[in-house]
Amino acid sequence: MKFSVFQISRRGGREKNEDRMGYCYTRESGLFVLADGMGGHPEGEVAAQLALQTISALYQKEARPTVREPEEFLSGALMAAHHQIIRYASEKGMLDTPRTTLVAALLQGTSAYWVHCGDSRLYVVRDGELLTRTRDHSYLEQHSSGVIKLERINRNILFTCLGSPTRPVFDITGPVVLQQGDKILLCSDGLWSSVPDADIVRQLSSRAVSEAAPELVELALRNGGPGCDNTTVIALEWETPDVFESTHGVSTDSISDGVFASTIQAGVMDTLIDDLDDAAIERSIAEINEAIRRSAARKS
C-alpha cells in the first residue's frame, strides 16, 4: 500500500487547540483519524485525544495486518471511544462530559471506508472534481438536504457528538474503490467554515498534498480573522505501485508482518485504554449490529 500524506494543526485565534489528528498503519492497512474537541464543555482536547487513542489501540489489536470487517470495526471503535469518554468523566466526577466530533478513514486493499460523527469532514477529490464529502450532523445541513424539517434555523448546531449523554449518531461509507491520484482530506470545521468547498477542491487538485494542506490551513486562518477557530487537516494521495516514488510518500511494503506504525501519541489516558478488553470491543460491535438489524427490519 502506498500513499503520500501531510498533517497540520493550528491553534488560530483560540486560547488552546482542542483538535487532534493522526494516522497509523500496518503492511496492508492504514487508519487516518481526526477529532475536534467541542467548546462549551470541559476538556474538549481530552475527549479528542481519548477518541484517537481508543481507536488507534483497537486498530492495533485488530489489524493483523488488515481489519477483517471494516464497517464493523469503524462502528465498534467509534462507540468504544464514546464509552471511554463517558467513563473518563464518570471517574473524575465531572458534572458535564467532555465532547468531540470524529472522522476516521480506513484504507485497505484498493478501497476506503470512513465513519463520521458531528461536523468534522472528509472530502474525496478525483480528477479535479469533488467525488463525495461527508454530510454534517447539524440541523442546518440536515435541513438543507431535506432530512430534517424545521421552520427556522438560527445557527449550525450539532445534534450529535461523542461524549454526550445520548447515544451518538454516525454514518459509515464504503467501500469506495480508489484510483491513482485520488486525494482524501479530513478536516475540522475550522477549515471548511472559512474556505468554500470549491477552493478546497481546487487546491487539492492543483498541488501535492504537502503543499495543498498547509496552504488551505493558512487560507482558513486568514479568512477567519483574529477569532478564527482551531484548524486541522490530514490530506493524503492514493498511489499505485507503478507510479509511486519512494521519496514522495509512505510505502508500507517495507514493513514486516505484525509491525504497527503510528503518529498518534500516547497521553494521560493510557490506563483507561489498557483496560479496554476484548469484551468491551465485542459489546460495542454487537450493539451497533443490533441497531442495524432493527433499522433494516423497519425498512422492510
Side-chain angles (χ1 to χ4, degrees):
M1 187 174 69
K2 298 173 173 62
F3 56 88
S4 299
V5 62
F6 192 91
Q7 60 181 30
I8 180 173
S9 184
R10 296 283 299 277
R11 180 169 57 89
R14 302 299 172 88
E15 292 185 1
K16 57 184 177 180
N17 192 342
E18 296 183 299
D19 291 354
R20 296 292 185 271
M21 85 299 193
Y23 61 92
C24 39
Y25 54 90
T26 66
R27 183 180 176 86
E28 299 180 25
S29 177
L31 178 72
F32 304 80
V33 192
L34 185 148
D36 179 356
M38 296 178 64
H41 302 280
E43 300 188 37
E45 73 282 4
V46 172
Q49 181 68 23
L50 185 52
L52 259 67
Q53 289 182 222
T54 301
I55 293 175
S56 175
L58 295 179
Y59 176 75
Q60 184 173 4
K61 182 186 291 287
E62 294 295 311
R64 302 289 180 166
T66 61
V67 173
R68 186 172 59 181
E69 298 291 343
E71 295 96 333
E72 286 190 13
F73 167 77
L74 290 172
S75 60
L78 180 143
M79 288 303 300
H82 170 69
H83 291 150
Q84 288 295 91
I85 295 169
I86 296 295
R87 178 184 171 191
Y88 172 85
S90 176
E91 292 191 353
K92 290 194 66 176
M94 302 175 73
L95 298 178
D96 190 14
T97 54
R99 307 183 190 192
T100 185
T101 67
L102 180 80
V103 58
L106 177 65
L107 276 58
Q108 293 191 162
T110 59
S111 297
Y113 308 77
W114 57 86
V115 63
H116 79 285
C117 176
D119 63 355
S120 291
R121 290 182 179 178
L122 181 146
Y123 293 77
V124 181
V125 174
R126 174 178 295 169
D127 297 329
E129 301 289 338
L130 179 62
L131 182 66
T132 186
R133 78 158 171 85
T134 53
R135 185 164 295 279
D136 308 334
H137 294 117
S138 66
Y139 291 108
L140 179 62
E141 181 116 334
Q142 298 293 319
H143 172 73
S144 65
S145 66
V147 177
I148 294 177
K149 304 297 183 183
L150 296 176
E151 292 183 0
R152 188 174 68 180
I153 300 174
N154 293 325
R155 58 194 180 96
N156 198 25
I157 303 173
L158 297 182
F159 59 80
T160 191
C161 62
L162 273 63
S164 69
T166 58
R167 179 189 177 89
V169 175
F170 59 90
D171 292 313
I172 294 179
T173 303
V176 173
V177 177
L178 298 174
Q179 298 180 9
Q180 164 62 31
D182 283 356
K183 293 179 179 177
I184 300 175
L185 180 139
L186 289 70
C187 67
S188 62
D189 66 336
L191 180 72
W192 63 257
S193 64
S194 297
V195 180
D197 284 1
D199 291 344
I200 293 175
V201 172
R202 183 164 51 252
Q203 287 285 349
L204 286 174
S205 301
S206 60
R207 299 186 178 193
V209 292
S210 60
E211 299 174 351
E215 178 57 33
L216 283 169
V217 169
E218 290 301 323
L219 180 60
L221 297 179
R222 291 196 299 270
N223 292 348
C228 61
D229 199 358
N230 307 151
T231 304
T232 302
V233 165
I234 303 177
L236 65 109
E237 179 174 356
W238 182 255
E239 302 185 5
T240 54
D242 56 326
V243 299
F244 178 75
E245 297 181 25
S246 60
T247 56
H248 293 166
V250 174
S251 173
T252 64
D253 291 348
S254 61
I255 299 177
S256 302
D257 289 340
V259 174
F260 169 83
S262 178
T263 68
I264 297 174
Q265 300 299 311
V268 297
M269 293 76 71
D270 286 345
T271 54
L272 289 178
I273 293 174
D274 288 342
D275 293 336
L276 190 64
D277 57 14
D278 291 337
I281 298 170
E282 293 302 323
R283 283 195 300 271
S284 295
I285 293 175
E287 185 180 35
I288 294 300
N289 290 339
E290 179 59 28
I292 293 172
R293 284 192 289 270
R294 287 198 301 267
S295 177
R298 286 195 299 270
K299 291 179 180 179
S300 61

